[in-house]
Amino acid sequence: MTTITVYDPPMCCSTGVCGTDVEQQLVTFAADLDWLKSQGVSVRRINLSQEPTEFTMNEEVNALMQASGGDDLPAILVDGKMVSKARYPARKELAVWNNLAFEDQDTAASASPCGSSNTKSSCC
């Protein structure tokens, strides 16, 4: 089983999806991680505000923190290897890193007669 570890920047809660002014990118990423879990991927999120010691225990993440002062967070690791930093990846990237099948919903909708504006389709 693949393991994704997310080293998040300091946030008020473990996902950043709290409070009154939530960033859409954090909502989307949290949903993407839930999707990974549903596919059998082990997911762990580590928040700098809540678990700072964890950042020093991983040599690669510690070196990243020393070099950038935390500006390159989030750091995303797949099975202990850093695959992304300084941004939250899209679901498609997460799928590729975990060898999961993924079909872009926009592409699927436009390719399917049921997802198009063609009302003459017999399947809908």
Side-chain angles (χ1 to χ4, degrees):
M1 175 188 326
T2 304
T3 299
I4 291 276
T5 307
V6 180
Y7 287 85
D8 281 304
M11 296 188 291
C12 61
C13 63
S14 62
T15 63
V17 183
C18 51
T20 58
D21 190 25
V22 178
E23 291 182 44
Q24 181 58 46
Q25 144 186 24
L26 292 173
V27 173
T28 301
F29 187 66
D32 292 344
L33 292 181
D34 285 342
W35 174 78
L36 279 180
K37 290 176 190 175
S38 76
Q39 302 298 308
V41 176
S42 175
V43 176
R44 181 167 182 225
R45 289 188 86 166
I46 303 169
N47 183 327
L48 183 58
S49 296
Q50 298 168 350
E51 301 174 87
T53 305
E54 293 289 330
F55 285 73
T56 61
M57 293 175 66
N58 181 294
E59 289 181 28
E60 198 170 10
V61 173
N62 189 29
L64 178 72
M65 292 293 294
Q66 296 298 319
S68 73
D71 290 340
D72 281 341
L73 294 177
I76 314 295
L77 283 69
V78 176
D79 291 334
K81 180 183 177 212
M82 191 175 305
V83 295
S84 177
K85 63 182 180 180
R87 66 183 180 83
Y88 288 100
R91 183 177 293 198
K92 185 175 184 177
E93 289 175 281
L94 294 167
V96 168
W97 295 336
N98 291 280
N99 298 314
L100 296 171
F102 174 78
E103 187 171 337
D104 187 342
Q105 296 303 314
D106 293 333
T107 303
S110 65
S112 166
C114 296
S116 72
S117 59
N118 181 358
T119 57
K120 295 180 182 179
S121 172
S122 62
C123 74
C124 298

